[in-house]
Structure formats: C-alpha cells, structure tokens
Amino acid sequence: MGATGDFSGIHIINGPNLNRLGIREPEIYGHTTLAEIEAICREAAGDVPLTFRQSNSEQQLIDWIHEATDTAAGLIINPAAFSFTSMAIMDALKMFPRPVIEFHISNIHRREEMYHHSYMSGVVTAVLAGLGARGYGHAVRALIGMIEDEAA
Ligand code: CA2
C-alpha cells in the first residue's frame, strides 16, 4: 500500500469565484492566481496523485465530493461563499469517511460577522484559515500526514 492507501491520491476542490483570484481584492486574497495555487499544491504533493478543481456551481461541487468519497484518500475543500450557506455541501462532506480539511485563504474569523459561521467546520477533520495562498501547500502536507497516520 502506498502513502495514500487503497484510495488513490488527494482531491482539492475550490468553490465559487476562486477562479478570479489574483485579479481583484488582492488586499484580502493576495496576488496569487488559482493556476499558481495549483502549482504550489502539486509541488507540496510530490509523488502523491493530485486532482485539483474549481467550480462556481454548487451541484458540481457536490458531485465532485461524491467522486472523492468513492476514490480519494483525502480531500481539501475551499467552499468559498458556500461555506456560509450550503447545507447540501455540508451533507456531502459528512459522508466523506477519510481526512478532509476545510481551507480558507483569509482568516474568516477576523472578517465581518457573516463570514464567522461555516456549516462545514462541524463536519470536517480540520480547518485551516488565514495562511494566504501558500497555506494550500501547508494543507496538502498536513493532509498527506493525516492519511499516513491513519494507514500506520
Ligand atoms: O478566504 C477564503 O478562501 C474564502 O473561502 C474566500 C471566499 C469567501 O467567501 C470566504 O469568506 C473566504 C470568497 C472567494 C472570492 O474570491 C475572490 C477572488 C478574487 C476577487 C474577489 C473574490
């Protein structure tokens, strides 16, 4: 068995508007584009197969979580604004039986009140927020460590 067990690799799912990163609001989200974030993740993952995706559609995100549930050793999700609205994504994440990290570029707790309660945080393994775009690399390394711990 490899570092990711019987399930192959890790999946990273990004929610609405994150395809616009680096273009607007750099004071909150920085100058790094989503393509650059994908490169950061691939470097952090090393030999571990990585599926990296973004969608603006709630239905697509749910379908990808289901796919990850059937195939992936671990999952990182930045649900973006759906964090604060989507019980459907929360329900899909509840069914993911292996390590899952909720990731946010910004520190959502330092922002306006409407960003303080994520439906996802109560059903995921861990939450990472406020580390900026480079934080995706930390999330990948942490997830691989969690998967290896579970396999040991
Ligand atoms: O900090 C994060 O990663 C967020 O998940 C990003 C979401 C926001 O709703 C969450 O509170 C925190 C928003 C992503 C919007 O992406 C933009 C990209 C470029 C310009 C403006 C927004």
Side-chain angles (χ1 to χ4, degrees):
M1 231 192 297
T4 54
D6 289 334
F7 293 90
S8 58
I10 63 176
H11 287 206
I12 302 180
I13 298 175
N14 294 284
N17 298 307
L18 290 166
N19 54 321
R20 308 294 286 170
L21 279 174
I23 301 169
R24 294 191 50 215
E25 297 191 58
E27 66 286 359
I28 302 176
Y29 302 114
H31 292 278
T32 311
T33 65
L34 196 63
E36 290 166 338
I37 287 173
E38 179 172 355
I40 289 168
C41 291
R42 291 200 181 281
E43 191 184 343
D47 292 340
V48 176
L50 174 69
T51 300
F52 187 97
R53 292 162 158 168
Q54 186 276 333
S55 176
N56 296 323
S57 149
E58 186 176 27
Q59 180 185 335
Q60 179 66 86
L61 296 171
I62 291 166
D63 287 344
W64 283 341
I65 294 166
H66 292 169
E67 186 189 319
T69 301
D70 293 339
T71 62
L75 173 65
I76 296 167
I77 183 162
N78 184 344
F82 287 136
S83 310
F84 317 105
T85 63
S86 178
M87 293 182 70
I89 292 179
M90 178 192 75
D91 283 343
L93 287 175
K94 263 188 199 166
M95 292 186 269
F96 188 82
R98 290 170 296 280
V100 50
I101 297 177
E102 175 187 358
F103 182 88
H104 298 281
I105 297 167
S106 61
N107 179 356
I108 55 176
H109 302 290
R110 218 173 129 178
R111 300 182 60 195
E112 300 94 311
E113 180 113 22
M114 63 187 172
Y115 294 112
H116 291 183
H117 179 258
S118 164
Y119 280 107
M120 314 304 148
S121 301
V123 304
V124 295
T125 316
V127 181
L128 263 180
L131 296 173
R134 292 233 150 255
Y136 274 89
H138 297 305
V140 168
R141 285 183 287 274
L143 185 67
I144 292 171
M146 289 153 85
I147 293 164
E148 285 172 348
D149 285 351
E150 282 207 343

